[in-house]
Amino acid sequence: MPRAIDVHVHPSTREWVDGAMGEFRPACEDYFHTRLPEHSVDEMAAVFRAADVLGVLLAWDAETHTGNPPVSNDFVAGCVAAHPDAFLGFASVDPHKSDAVVELERAVRFLGLRGLKMHPGAQGFSPDDRALAPIWETAQSLGIPVLIHTGTTGLGAGMPGGGGVALGLSNPMLIDRMALDFPDLQIVMAHPAWPWQDEQLAVLAHKPNTWIDLSGWSPKRFAPELVREIRGRLQDRVLFGTDYPFLTHEQWLGAWATLDMPDAVTEKVLLGNATRLLGL
Ligand SMILES: [Zn+2]
């Protein structure tokens, strides 16, 4: 076993950094005060191997809403096949494409991907929209978790009209409805969901099939109430994630250490909870 499983990893390859991000890239880089690296798959795998972190690589298909090409499920499956010691993969499907359900089944059954990643703002859907029910039902019956973006986003930040990304679609209260309608579906809310941190914590406390990944924010910037809940009643449904390449493992883990979490909580967050969620 690696020392940690990072459940939120974007491929720092041309396919995502340049292709799927498209015109969002420069504004996003400004928002995160960083410049995105471009690696080959092999270089990226070496980064994860050196850090002793297993990365959950995320596919990305927001083609209908953004016009940008997807990071395909086949691409992610190829990365995992080439570097099974460094990566696991999550699928993505564009909910506006008529083959979304069929593609999800193919990605899991034939490509071996282990979850579904969705981004309501970038993909242009509301998590509580009943039109999405067939996708959630399929994920539930396949027994895979759904990782779904919550809170604000760097995508479209500073662009005219926010690049067409509506923030309200990432309100965690919309996940509450999903968790109610699909009680056997494990739903991971990606990121501390600022400006709805309290709402997110309320959903987590109320719906036992919801989880949070801590990616996209330095632990130094976590709200005090989030830190308290991680230490307390939510410690079994909290997952380490970086949102790589926006944050590196060293940055995130270094800041985490300053929180002085009990070792047992750190073990759950870095490894134990993800191992359980993914059935490893
Ligand atoms: Zn992300």
Side-chain angles (χ1 to χ4, degrees), residues 232-255:
R233 60 181 168 170
L234 297 181
Q235 63 181 260
D236 292 310
R237 284 181 284 124
V238 178
L239 303 160
F240 165 55
T242 55
D243 211 4
Y244 179 92
F246 294 111
L247 282 173
T248 66
H249 303 115
E250 300 76 59
Q251 287 170 328
W252 197 98
L253 291 167

Side-chain angles (χ1 to χ4, degrees), residues 124-245:
F125 73 89
S126 182
D128 64 344
D129 184 346
R130 290 301 298 176
L132 275 287
I135 296 175
W136 310 143
E137 264 157 26
T138 303
Q140 184 172 251
S141 67
L142 288 167
I144 57 159
V146 176
L147 175 66
I148 186 161
H149 180 95
T150 57
T152 191
T153 176
L155 285 182
M159 293 170 66
V165 174
L167 293 181
L169 299 175
S170 293
N171 187 322
M173 275 303 163
L174 300 169
I175 306 298
D176 184 68
R177 183 75 225 182
M178 235 181 115
L180 180 162
D181 288 338
F182 301 95
D184 296 324
L185 179 63
Q186 302 306 310
I187 306 167
V188 182
M189 292 183 271
H191 319 297
W194 185 85
W196 301 290
Q197 187 60 80
D198 287 348
E199 286 86 338
Q200 183 180 39
L201 292 173
V203 174
L204 285 160
H206 197 263
K207 299 294 188 292
N209 57 324
T210 60
W211 306 60
I212 176 176
D213 92 28
L214 299 176
S215 72
W217 293 74
S218 166
K220 282 184 186 156
R221 296 179 183 271
F222 289 175
E225 53 273 27
L226 173 61
V227 175
R228 195 169 57 239
E229 295 280 14
I230 295 170
R231 213 184 273 273
R233 60 181 168 170
L234 297 181
Q235 63 181 260
D236 292 310
R237 284 181 284 124
V238 178
L239 303 160
F240 165 55
T242 55
D243 211 4
Y244 179 92

Side-chain angles (χ1 to χ4, degrees), residues 8 10 16 58 60 117 119 149 191 215 243 246:
H8 198 123
H10 298 286
W16 187 72
L58 307 175
W60 182 274
K117 165 73 199 308
H119 195 305
H149 180 95
H191 319 297
S215 72
D243 211 4
F246 294 111

